[in-house]
Amino acid sequence: MGPNQISVLVPSSSDEAVAAFGDGTDVTVVAGGTIVMPEVAAGRLRPKSALLLGRAGLAGITRASGKVTIGAATPVSELAETDAPLAQAAAHVGDIEVRSQATVGGNVCAESSEDTPRGDLQAALLALGATVRSAGKGGERSEPLEDFLADGTGRLVLDVSYDDAPRQAGYAAVWRPHSHHYTILAVAAARRDGELRVAATGVAPRAVLIDPDDPLAGLEPRDDALASTWYRTQLLPRLVARALAQLEEAG
Ligand SMILES: Cc1cc2nc3c(=O)[nH]c(=O)nc-3n(C[C@H](O)[C@H](O)[C@H](O)COP(=O)(O)OP(=O)(O)OC[C@H]3O[C@@H](n4cnc5c(N)ncnc54)[C@H](O)[C@@H]3O)c2cc1C
């Protein structure tokens, strides 16, 4: 294979995808491609090996054994049939064109760029206490999303899941309403069995769990083309208050 050639892997099952991914060395996963493909087109990313997930059987949402499980290749647009605050977060991702193409796994693995925040679903999934199942170095493993996000990337996400149980939830976000928009800042909250989890996206490179009594503790919100650190610092406590008010209203 020449230096400018890319090997394109198109697995037709999750087992094949896991085998093709191996330990992830030199493999670029392409799911919806809404982040990867512009990078390739601009020449900033030159994959040696591209693993296309579209036919790997990793899409779909199931409710079984007390869990909601969402395959990594599930389009963001299909999350409307999930639960608060995930369904609301999904509805705010880009526009219908982006949501139809973008996947859950791509969002969970997304890191914000210099210009724009990404990973809106991460905050909602953190609030839901979601678990990520992934494959790669050391084999398959399942771990809380916060551990996966802290550990970085380099693994193949197979699915995300959370308890299929009644809970109160709230979601508050700010964005500029136009086509192809990005969410500037968002807060997702969920309470179940007295445990309150609150998370924010648009603050740091990936979503973070926050203390609702002191939302800015240990955080200096990002500064980018959409909003300044000052603006986000003013906004975050207000969005937390809004999300929590919604959660209380929910019952
Ligand atoms: C116009 C526009 C508007 C947007 N607005 C928003 C927004 O409002 N909110 C938001 O959160 N995002 C937004 N995005 C960013 C992006 O569309 C989403 O984050 C989307 O969910 C990414 O999913 P994807 O499948 O397209 O990812 P891809 O581009 O396929 O992949 C993204 C990254 O994740 C990796 N990856 C993908 N799937 C897996 C997997 N299963 N396992 C391991 N690694 C994987 C890829 O290698 C790559 O590093 C926007 C993008 C555009 C172009």
mmCIF file of all heavy atoms in Angstrom, residues 28-37 53 72 76 92-94 98 101-103 105-107 109-110 117-121 155-158 180-183, ligand 1:
data_model
loop_
_atom_site.group_PDB
_atom_site.id
_atom_site.type_symbol
_atom_site.label_atom_id
_atom_site.label_comp_id
_atom_site.label_asym_id
_atom_site.label_seq_id
_atom_site.Cartn_x
_atom_site.Cartn_y
_atom_site.Cartn_z
ATOM 1 N N THR A 28 -8.832 4.883 12.331
ATOM 2 C CA THR A 28 -9.746 6.016 12.535
ATOM 3 C C THR A 28 -11.163 5.511 12.366
ATOM 4 O O THR A 28 -11.538 5.036 11.291
ATOM 5 C CB THR A 28 -9.478 7.138 11.500
ATOM 6 O OG1 THR A 28 -8.128 7.589 11.666
ATOM 7 C CG2 THR A 28 -10.423 8.301 11.688
ATOM 8 N N VAL A 29 -11.941 5.597 13.427
ATOM 9 C CA VAL A 29 -13.332 5.163 13.350
ATOM 10 C C VAL A 29 -14.146 6.255 12.664
ATOM 11 O O VAL A 29 -14.006 7.443 12.985
ATOM 12 C CB VAL A 29 -13.901 4.889 14.760
ATOM 13 C CG1 VAL A 29 -15.368 4.485 14.679
ATOM 14 C CG2 VAL A 29 -13.080 3.821 15.472
ATOM 15 N N VAL A 30 -14.973 5.859 11.714
ATOM 16 C CA VAL A 30 -15.871 6.807 11.051
ATOM 17 C C VAL A 30 -17.298 6.306 11.272
ATOM 18 O O VAL A 30 -17.657 5.222 10.808
ATOM 19 C CB VAL A 30 -15.587 6.921 9.534
ATOM 20 C CG1 VAL A 30 -16.493 7.975 8.898
ATOM 21 C CG2 VAL A 30 -14.120 7.249 9.276
ATOM 22 N N ALA A 31 -18.074 7.087 12.000
ATOM 23 C CA ALA A 31 -19.467 6.689 12.256
ATOM 24 C C ALA A 31 -20.348 7.539 11.338
ATOM 25 O O ALA A 31 -20.477 7.251 10.148
ATOM 26 C CB ALA A 31 -19.765 6.850 13.727
ATOM 27 N N GLY A 32 -20.932 8.620 11.863
ATOM 28 C CA GLY A 32 -21.687 9.524 10.983
ATOM 29 C C GLY A 32 -20.765 10.370 10.117
ATOM 30 O O GLY A 32 -21.164 10.866 9.064
ATOM 31 N N GLY A 33 -19.554 10.572 10.587
ATOM 32 C CA GLY A 33 -18.549 11.327 9.824
ATOM 33 C C GLY A 33 -18.722 12.840 9.869
ATOM 34 O O GLY A 33 -18.006 13.553 9.181
ATOM 35 N N THR A 34 -19.638 13.365 10.701
ATOM 36 C CA THR A 34 -19.881 14.818 10.690
ATOM 37 C C THR A 34 -18.705 15.600 11.271
ATOM 38 O O THR A 34 -18.571 16.795 11.025
ATOM 39 C CB THR A 34 -21.175 15.196 11.454
ATOM 40 O OG1 THR A 34 -21.070 14.704 12.800
ATOM 41 C CG2 THR A 34 -22.405 14.611 10.791
ATOM 42 N N ILE A 35 -17.865 14.927 12.040
ATOM 43 C CA ILE A 35 -16.632 15.559 12.533
ATOM 44 C C ILE A 35 -15.447 15.071 11.698
ATOM 45 O O ILE A 35 -14.625 15.865 11.236
ATOM 46 C CB ILE A 35 -16.409 15.232 14.031
ATOM 47 C CG1 ILE A 35 -17.499 15.894 14.879
ATOM 48 C CG2 ILE A 35 -15.022 15.697 14.480
ATOM 49 C CD1 ILE A 35 -17.495 15.486 16.345
ATOM 50 N N VAL A 36 -15.364 13.754 11.489
ATOM 51 C CA VAL A 36 -14.198 13.175 10.805
ATOM 52 C C VAL A 36 -14.084 13.653 9.360
ATOM 53 O O VAL A 36 -13.004 14.048 8.916
ATOM 54 C CB VAL A 36 -14.274 11.624 10.815
ATOM 55 C CG1 VAL A 36 -13.163 11.029 9.963
ATOM 56 C CG2 VAL A 36 -14.160 11.098 12.229
ATOM 57 N N MET A 37 -15.170 13.609 8.613
ATOM 58 C CA MET A 37 -15.058 13.860 7.163
ATOM 59 C C MET A 37 -14.618 15.297 6.821
ATOM 60 O O MET A 37 -13.777 15.477 5.944
ATOM 61 C CB MET A 37 -16.362 13.488 6.435
ATOM 62 C CG MET A 37 -16.659 11.990 6.424
ATOM 63 S SD MET A 37 -15.221 10.951 6.078
ATOM 64 C CE MET A 37 -14.943 11.353 4.361
ATOM 65 N N LEU A 53 -18.480 2.326 10.425
ATOM 66 C CA LEU A 53 -19.371 1.558 11.316
ATOM 67 C C LEU A 53 -20.791 1.375 10.790
ATOM 68 O O LEU A 53 -21.584 0.659 11.388
ATOM 69 C CB LEU A 53 -19.457 2.258 12.682
ATOM 70 C CG LEU A 53 -18.203 2.244 13.548
ATOM 71 C CD1 LEU A 53 -18.538 2.792 14.925
ATOM 72 C CD2 LEU A 53 -17.644 0.831 13.674
ATOM 73 N N ALA A 72 -23.883 2.234 19.426
ATOM 74 C CA ALA A 72 -23.020 3.381 19.122
ATOM 75 C C ALA A 72 -23.364 4.044 17.797
ATOM 76 O O ALA A 72 -23.221 5.256 17.648
ATOM 77 C CB ALA A 72 -21.564 2.937 19.110
ATOM 78 N N VAL A 76 -28.446 10.280 16.069
ATOM 79 C CA VAL A 76 -28.912 11.157 17.151
ATOM 80 C C VAL A 76 -30.409 11.441 17.009
ATOM 81 O O VAL A 76 -31.138 11.542 17.992
ATOM 82 C CB VAL A 76 -28.085 12.470 17.149
ATOM 83 C CG1 VAL A 76 -28.658 13.498 18.113
ATOM 84 C CG2 VAL A 76 -26.616 12.170 17.486
ATOM 85 N N HIS A 92 -31.381 19.216 20.498
ATOM 86 C CA HIS A 92 -30.632 20.460 20.322
ATOM 87 C C HIS A 92 -29.376 20.298 19.480
ATOM 88 O O HIS A 92 -28.717 21.284 19.160
ATOM 89 C CB HIS A 92 -30.220 21.030 21.687
ATOM 90 C CG HIS A 92 -31.317 21.772 22.358
ATOM 91 N ND1 HIS A 92 -32.231 21.167 23.183
ATOM 92 C CD2 HIS A 92 -31.671 23.079 22.313
ATOM 93 C CE1 HIS A 92 -33.091 22.059 23.614
ATOM 94 N NE2 HIS A 92 -32.774 23.229 23.109
ATOM 95 N N VAL A 93 -29.005 19.061 19.148
ATOM 96 C CA VAL A 93 -27.761 18.869 18.379
ATOM 97 C C VAL A 93 -27.971 19.376 16.944
ATOM 98 O O VAL A 93 -28.846 18.887 16.228
ATOM 99 C CB VAL A 93 -27.337 17.380 18.360
ATOM 100 C CG1 VAL A 93 -26.173 17.151 17.388
ATOM 101 C CG2 VAL A 93 -26.956 16.923 19.761
ATOM 102 N N GLY A 94 -27.170 20.351 16.552
ATOM 103 C CA GLY A 94 -27.188 20.864 15.170
ATOM 104 C C GLY A 94 -28.600 21.101 14.662
ATOM 105 O O GLY A 94 -29.419 21.761 15.296
ATOM 106 N N VAL A 98 -27.892 17.388 10.463
ATOM 107 C CA VAL A 98 -26.777 16.896 11.288
ATOM 108 C C VAL A 98 -27.248 15.715 12.144
ATOM 109 O O VAL A 98 -26.584 14.674 12.214
ATOM 110 C CB VAL A 98 -26.221 18.042 12.183
ATOM 111 C CG1 VAL A 98 -25.202 17.506 13.177
ATOM 112 C CG2 VAL A 98 -25.602 19.123 11.321
ATOM 113 N N GLN A 101 -27.467 12.292 10.527
ATOM 114 C CA GLN A 101 -26.195 11.697 10.118
ATOM 115 C C GLN A 101 -25.322 11.356 11.334
ATOM 116 O O GLN A 101 -24.662 10.318 11.368
ATOM 117 C CB GLN A 101 -25.475 12.706 9.197
ATOM 118 C CG GLN A 101 -24.159 12.236 8.623
ATOM 119 C CD GLN A 101 -24.330 11.103 7.624
ATOM 120 O OE1 GLN A 101 -25.393 10.966 7.005
ATOM 121 N NE2 GLN A 101 -23.319 10.266 7.502
ATOM 122 N N ALA A 102 -25.348 12.244 12.322
ATOM 123 C CA ALA A 102 -24.491 12.096 13.503
ATOM 124 C C ALA A 102 -24.936 10.895 14.348
ATOM 125 O O ALA A 102 -26.120 10.587 14.404
ATOM 126 C CB ALA A 102 -24.586 13.366 14.340
ATOM 127 N N THR A 103 -23.971 10.256 15.015
ATOM 128 C CA THR A 103 -24.320 9.098 15.834
ATOM 129 C C THR A 103 -24.039 9.364 17.317
ATOM 130 O O THR A 103 -23.317 10.289 17.672
ATOM 131 C CB THR A 103 -23.488 7.866 15.424
ATOM 132 O OG1 THR A 103 -22.110 8.115 15.770
ATOM 133 C CG2 THR A 103 -23.614 7.562 13.936
ATOM 134 N N GLY A 105 -22.342 7.271 19.330
ATOM 135 C CA GLY A 105 -20.941 6.955 19.630
ATOM 136 C C GLY A 105 -20.016 8.103 19.256
ATOM 137 O O GLY A 105 -19.083 8.430 19.992
ATOM 138 N N GLY A 106 -20.299 8.737 18.107
ATOM 139 C CA GLY A 106 -19.483 9.864 17.671
ATOM 140 C C GLY A 106 -19.606 11.028 18.637
ATOM 141 O O GLY A 106 -18.640 11.746 18.896
ATOM 142 N N ASN A 107 -20.795 11.203 19.198
ATOM 143 C CA ASN A 107 -21.001 12.297 20.151
ATOM 144 C C ASN A 107 -20.291 12.006 21.474
ATOM 145 O O ASN A 107 -19.676 12.895 22.067
ATOM 146 C CB ASN A 107 -22.503 12.510 20.374
ATOM 147 C CG ASN A 107 -22.801 13.909 20.861
ATOM 148 O OD1 ASN A 107 -22.543 14.221 21.999
ATOM 149 N ND2 ASN A 107 -23.327 14.755 19.981
ATOM 150 N N CYS A 109 -17.658 10.280 21.840
ATOM 151 C CA CYS A 109 -16.202 10.371 21.629
ATOM 152 C C CYS A 109 -15.765 11.771 21.218
ATOM 153 O O CYS A 109 -14.568 12.035 21.120
ATOM 154 C CB CYS A 109 -15.758 9.374 20.552
ATOM 155 S SG CYS A 109 -15.971 7.677 21.085
ATOM 156 N N ALA A 110 -16.731 12.649 20.945
ATOM 157 C CA ALA A 110 -16.376 13.972 20.420
ATOM 158 C C ALA A 110 -15.700 14.825 21.479
ATOM 159 O O ALA A 110 -16.085 14.833 22.645
ATOM 160 C CB ALA A 110 -17.637 14.680 19.918
ATOM 161 N N PRO A 117 -18.092 24.015 20.834
ATOM 162 C CA PRO A 117 -18.274 22.884 21.736
ATOM 163 C C PRO A 117 -18.925 21.728 20.987
ATOM 164 O O PRO A 117 -19.612 21.944 19.985
ATOM 165 C CB PRO A 117 -19.235 23.407 22.804
ATOM 166 C CG PRO A 117 -19.443 24.844 22.531
ATOM 167 C CD PRO A 117 -19.037 25.098 21.124
ATOM 168 N N ARG A 118 -18.698 20.514 21.453
ATOM 169 C CA ARG A 118 -19.369 19.339 20.888
ATOM 170 C C ARG A 118 -19.631 18.376 22.040
ATOM 171 O O ARG A 118 -19.064 18.517 23.108
ATOM 172 C CB ARG A 118 -18.464 18.612 19.897
ATOM 173 C CG ARG A 118 -18.091 19.357 18.647
ATOM 174 C CD ARG A 118 -16.982 18.585 17.976
ATOM 175 N NE ARG A 118 -16.569 19.151 16.713
ATOM 176 C CZ ARG A 118 -15.311 19.039 16.269
ATOM 177 N NH1 ARG A 118 -14.398 18.389 16.975
ATOM 178 N NH2 ARG A 118 -14.979 19.552 15.109
ATOM 179 N N GLY A 119 -20.405 17.373 21.754
ATOM 180 C CA GLY A 119 -20.622 16.338 22.774
ATOM 181 C C GLY A 119 -21.808 16.643 23.676
ATOM 182 O O GLY A 119 -21.789 16.348 24.868
ATOM 183 N N ASP A 120 -22.869 17.211 23.100
ATOM 184 C CA ASP A 120 -24.048 17.569 23.902
ATOM 185 C C ASP A 120 -24.642 16.366 24.637
ATOM 186 O O ASP A 120 -25.188 16.496 25.733
ATOM 187 C CB ASP A 120 -25.148 18.138 23.002
ATOM 188 C CG ASP A 120 -24.815 19.520 22.473
ATOM 189 O OD1 ASP A 120 -23.667 19.965 22.653
ATOM 190 O OD2 ASP A 120 -25.720 20.130 21.876
ATOM 191 N N LEU A 121 -24.575 15.194 24.001
ATOM 192 C CA LEU A 121 -25.207 14.024 24.617
ATOM 193 C C LEU A 121 -24.456 13.591 25.872
ATOM 194 O O LEU A 121 -25.016 12.935 26.754
ATOM 195 C CB LEU A 121 -25.263 12.838 23.639
ATOM 196 C CG LEU A 121 -25.961 13.091 22.305
ATOM 197 C CD1 LEU A 121 -25.986 11.808 21.471
ATOM 198 C CD2 LEU A 121 -27.386 13.606 22.521
ATOM 199 N N ARG A 155 -10.649 3.917 22.208
ATOM 200 C CA ARG A 155 -11.382 2.662 22.271
ATOM 201 C C ARG A 155 -12.577 2.716 21.319
ATOM 202 O O ARG A 155 -13.048 3.788 20.950
ATOM 203 C CB ARG A 155 -11.853 2.371 23.707
ATOM 204 C CG ARG A 155 -10.671 2.260 24.683
ATOM 205 C CD ARG A 155 -11.108 1.831 26.066
ATOM 206 N NE ARG A 155 -11.792 0.539 26.106
ATOM 207 C CZ ARG A 155 -11.193 -0.650 26.075
ATOM 208 N NH1 ARG A 155 -9.871 -0.725 25.989
ATOM 209 N NH2 ARG A 155 -11.894 -1.763 26.147
ATOM 210 N N LEU A 156 -13.051 1.544 20.935
ATOM 211 C CA LEU A 156 -14.221 1.461 20.060
ATOM 212 C C LEU A 156 -15.471 1.381 20.932
ATOM 213 O O LEU A 156 -15.651 0.406 21.683
ATOM 214 C CB LEU A 156 -14.131 0.214 19.175
ATOM 215 C CG LEU A 156 -15.336 -0.047 18.272
ATOM 216 C CD1 LEU A 156 -15.462 1.038 17.196
ATOM 217 C CD2 LEU A 156 -15.234 -1.435 17.616
ATOM 218 N N VAL A 157 -16.313 2.385 20.875
ATOM 219 C CA VAL A 157 -17.549 2.366 21.663
ATOM 220 C C VAL A 157 -18.560 1.452 20.979
ATOM 221 O O VAL A 157 -18.814 1.586 19.773
ATOM 222 C CB VAL A 157 -18.136 3.790 21.833
ATOM 223 C CG1 VAL A 157 -19.496 3.738 22.522
ATOM 224 C CG2 VAL A 157 -17.175 4.660 22.618
ATOM 225 N N LEU A 158 -19.128 0.535 21.753
ATOM 226 C CA LEU A 158 -20.120 -0.403 21.202
ATOM 227 C C LEU A 158 -21.538 0.072 21.532
ATOM 228 O O LEU A 158 -22.417 0.048 20.681
ATOM 229 C CB LEU A 158 -19.879 -1.801 21.761
ATOM 230 C CG LEU A 158 -18.493 -2.388 21.436
ATOM 231 C CD1 LEU A 158 -18.261 -3.692 22.179
ATOM 232 C CD2 LEU A 158 -18.347 -2.606 19.931
ATOM 233 N N HIS A 180 -27.543 24.489 11.181
ATOM 234 C CA HIS A 180 -26.156 24.082 11.434
ATOM 235 C C HIS A 180 -25.568 24.730 12.689
ATOM 236 O O HIS A 180 -24.374 24.989 12.750
ATOM 237 C CB HIS A 180 -25.274 24.407 10.217
ATOM 238 C CG HIS A 180 -25.430 23.384 9.126
ATOM 239 N ND1 HIS A 180 -24.624 23.338 8.029
ATOM 240 C CD2 HIS A 180 -26.286 22.370 8.973
ATOM 241 C CE1 HIS A 180 -24.967 22.342 7.252
ATOM 242 N NE2 HIS A 180 -26.000 21.739 7.811
ATOM 243 N N HIS A 181 -26.427 24.999 13.682
ATOM 244 C CA HIS A 181 -25.904 25.637 14.897
ATOM 245 C C HIS A 181 -25.202 24.626 15.800
ATOM 246 O O HIS A 181 -25.372 23.414 15.668
ATOM 247 C CB HIS A 181 -27.033 26.312 15.680
ATOM 248 C CG HIS A 181 -27.861 25.331 16.451
ATOM 249 N ND1 HIS A 181 -29.071 24.872 16.009
ATOM 250 C CD2 HIS A 181 -27.649 24.689 17.621
ATOM 251 C CE1 HIS A 181 -29.559 24.014 16.885
ATOM 252 N NE2 HIS A 181 -28.723 23.875 17.857
ATOM 253 N N TYR A 182 -24.406 25.144 16.723
ATOM 254 C CA TYR A 182 -23.820 24.356 17.816
ATOM 255 C C TYR A 182 -24.397 24.874 19.130
ATOM 256 O O TYR A 182 -24.655 26.085 19.248
ATOM 257 C CB TYR A 182 -22.305 24.527 17.866
ATOM 258 C CG TYR A 182 -21.557 23.803 16.773
ATOM 259 C CD1 TYR A 182 -21.441 24.347 15.504
ATOM 260 C CD2 TYR A 182 -20.955 22.582 17.028
ATOM 261 C CE1 TYR A 182 -20.741 23.683 14.504
ATOM 262 C CE2 TYR A 182 -20.252 21.913 16.028
ATOM 263 C CZ TYR A 182 -20.152 22.468 14.778
ATOM 264 O OH TYR A 182 -19.459 21.816 13.798
ATOM 265 N N THR A 183 -24.561 24.000 20.101
ATOM 266 C CA THR A 183 -25.014 24.445 21.418
ATOM 267 C C THR A 183 -23.869 25.184 22.101
ATOM 268 O O THR A 183 -22.738 24.703 22.122
ATOM 269 C CB THR A 183 -25.424 23.232 22.271
ATOM 270 O OG1 THR A 183 -26.371 22.463 21.526
ATOM 271 C CG2 THR A 183 -26.047 23.649 23.587
HETATM 272 C C1 LIG B 1 -23.009 21.921 11.321
HETATM 273 C C2 LIG B 1 -22.725 21.080 12.536
HETATM 274 C C3 LIG B 1 -23.392 21.342 13.714
HETATM 275 C C4 LIG B 1 -23.123 20.580 14.853
HETATM 276 N N1 LIG B 1 -23.798 20.857 16.014
HETATM 277 C C5 LIG B 1 -23.534 20.113 17.118
HETATM 278 C C6 LIG B 1 -24.239 20.362 18.333
HETATM 279 O O1 LIG B 1 -25.103 21.243 18.428
HETATM 280 N N2 LIG B 1 -23.946 19.568 19.395
HETATM 281 C C7 LIG B 1 -23.006 18.570 19.329
HETATM 282 O O2 LIG B 1 -22.817 17.864 20.324
HETATM 283 N N3 LIG B 1 -22.337 18.334 18.206
HETATM 284 C C8 LIG B 1 -22.571 19.067 17.100
HETATM 285 N N4 LIG B 1 -21.890 18.812 15.946
HETATM 286 C C9 LIG B 1 -20.794 17.838 15.970
HETATM 287 C C10 LIG B 1 -21.205 16.413 15.561
HETATM 288 O O3 LIG B 1 -22.153 16.432 14.521
HETATM 289 C C11 LIG B 1 -21.774 15.579 16.717
HETATM 290 O O4 LIG B 1 -20.962 15.667 17.868
HETATM 291 C C12 LIG B 1 -21.982 14.121 16.295
HETATM 292 O O5 LIG B 1 -22.737 13.437 17.287
HETATM 293 C C13 LIG B 1 -20.705 13.359 15.992
HETATM 294 O O6 LIG B 1 -21.094 12.064 15.585
HETATM 295 P P1 LIG B 1 -20.581 11.392 14.219
HETATM 296 O O7 LIG B 1 -21.124 10.019 14.207
HETATM 297 O O8 LIG B 1 -20.843 12.217 13.054
HETATM 298 O O9 LIG B 1 -19.004 11.361 14.535
HETATM 299 P P2 LIG B 1 -17.797 11.056 13.563
HETATM 300 O O10 LIG B 1 -17.427 12.280 12.808
HETATM 301 O O11 LIG B 1 -18.000 9.805 12.807
HETATM 302 O O12 LIG B 1 -16.698 10.770 14.691
HETATM 303 C C14 LIG B 1 -16.365 11.739 15.672
HETATM 304 C C15 LIG B 1 -15.184 11.200 16.509
HETATM 305 O O13 LIG B 1 -15.578 10.067 17.252
HETATM 306 C C16 LIG B 1 -14.870 8.904 16.824
HETATM 307 N N5 LIG B 1 -15.873 7.832 16.811
HETATM 308 C C17 LIG B 1 -17.081 7.835 16.193
HETATM 309 N N6 LIG B 1 -17.791 6.731 16.543
HETATM 310 C C18 LIG B 1 -16.978 6.014 17.378
HETATM 311 C C19 LIG B 1 -17.134 4.804 18.081
HETATM 312 N N7 LIG B 1 -18.260 4.080 18.020
HETATM 313 N N8 LIG B 1 -16.094 4.374 18.849
HETATM 314 C C20 LIG B 1 -14.945 5.095 18.949
HETATM 315 N N9 LIG B 1 -14.749 6.262 18.321
HETATM 316 C C21 LIG B 1 -15.767 6.714 17.551
HETATM 317 C C22 LIG B 1 -14.283 9.250 15.461
HETATM 318 O O14 LIG B 1 -13.106 8.528 15.183
HETATM 319 C C23 LIG B 1 -14.002 10.746 15.670
HETATM 320 O O15 LIG B 1 -12.827 10.928 16.418
HETATM 321 C C24 LIG B 1 -22.167 19.536 14.788
HETATM 322 C C25 LIG B 1 -21.513 19.258 13.580
HETATM 323 C C26 LIG B 1 -21.792 20.016 12.460
HETATM 324 C C27 LIG B 1 -21.076 19.701 11.171
#
